Amino acid sequence: MTKYIFQPHKALMLVATILMGYAAQATEYDSIAVKYRNENAVYTNYSQRLVITNEDGKLVANSYVTREKLFISDRSPGVYNVDYLYHGDFNELEDLHATASLPTKTGYKKVPCNNFADINPDKDNVFYDDSRYAVVSYSGLLKNSLTETKYTIQHTDLNMLPAFTFQENLPVVKASFEVTAPKYVNISFAIKGIDPGWIKQTKEEGANTITYKFTATDVPAYKEFDNVPSVWYYLPHVIPYITSYKMEGAKKPVEMLENPDQLYKYLYKYVKGVNIKDDTLLDKTVAEITKNDVSATDKAAHIYQYVQANMHYIAFEKGLEGFVPRDAAVVLKRKYGDCKDMASILVAMCRKAGLDAHYTWIGTREKPYTNEETPLPLVNNHMICALKMGDDWVFMDGTHPYIPFGQNPEGIQGKEAMIAIDANNYKIITIPYAQADKNVIIDSTYMSFEDRKV
């Protein structure tokens, strides 16, 4: 049995070391508070480590996130005491821990926080998906308090690794994004946003792994503006994606997403099994809609107008429901659906009418990405129907209830449309901007007089 002997001088040294650590920590945060004295609060540390490992012959990815916040002004503890952590079915939240450090005469007193909630932000909207946010609410905070929120995100689809944004709603003293992976994993990064040159990039090689680091210091808080492109155009962010990997003993590498061809194969599997079975109601409806039509244009226009008038936009997109369109027969019976469902019924109806219709993925103008630069699912957040009419392509967006046939909603003008031709072939067409004389809004009001009343 090992015998432990208490040694008073060593215990005193340990206590002194701890107190010195507290003092040094307090001095560090005091200097930050002075530097940012015109701010209410700052993130002293915002870091994310994305770690890719091999578990039983399968690649697994987890992100370990730390958000440390310093409360500078008297009003900050009541204004910035809540953290929002976004997650979903493809990025699952795990191991959430929160701690508040309250200032004392000798340093900080740590107090655990267990006030958590989980909310779906779209519960009262016509759009419902698996996106959620955990709410961490701190209480009892004082001026100069610190909060530390730590959590893990498990990424269930390696083709949908989330971007890391360096700017927050508060200034960030130190921001860092690290990606560690085995050497046999090939990773690419797309860096987007206005003037991301202040992001420092380094790479470190270990015995079996490579770590890619993206760091920034003294990052200002981002500002949102009205009537400007979405924040993704100007917010500096890094998008990681695995292009391929070859595990030890494997005969050939596993191809992931590196170019538009691979992206198309990834997306096509979600539509190849849609609308395979015939449906009597669908057949009768198409026949009725187009019974007096002679030209292909008339058929297409009447089908489009029918969908606009009778199908209502209501979206349920949990997990893979965000990628797989529902069968046209289901949409017709329900009389509602999301963008993919609208595309599904338009494609099915047009094909039954003898028209050359195709599923089409597209990113709205909220997305600043191209298929070549970021060949990832995040490049697209919308689906429409594309018609080949002679030498021209005509696009139909069934989610818009008013746009006339042959015109395109402003949200997809200037954007790349990936048109599914068949299992192996696709086309990428840039949807043109509307001509100035067509780019108008018409608002009509009709009034009548009856018995001297309007």
Side-chain angles (χ1 to χ4, degrees), residues 345-390:
I345 193 170
L346 283 169
V347 169
M349 283 186 161
C350 286
R351 288 178 177 177
K352 287 184 178 296
L355 303 174
D356 189 9
H358 304 268
Y359 298 101
T360 303
W361 296 272
I362 191 168
T364 66
R365 291 170 67 180
E366 293 289 312
K367 298 277 191 173
Y369 314 117
T370 67
N371 290 281
E372 188 68 39
E373 182 183 36
T374 51
L376 302 168
L378 66 76
V379 76
N380 302 307
N381 62 344
H382 195 36
M383 180 177 275
I384 59 177
C385 170
L387 278 178
K388 190 67 163 56
M389 305 191 75

Side-chain angles (χ1 to χ4, degrees), residues 48-51 61-65 85-88 90-95 151-156 162:
Q48 178 173 320
R49 293 189 303 111
L50 170 60
V51 181
N62 293 283
S63 287
Y64 304 92
V65 186
L85 318 177
Y86 292 88
H87 62 101
F90 297 109
N91 298 287
E92 298 177 351
L93 177 65
E94 299 178 343
D95 301 328
Y151 56 97
T152 302
I153 296 290
Q154 181 184 15
H155 309 294
T156 59

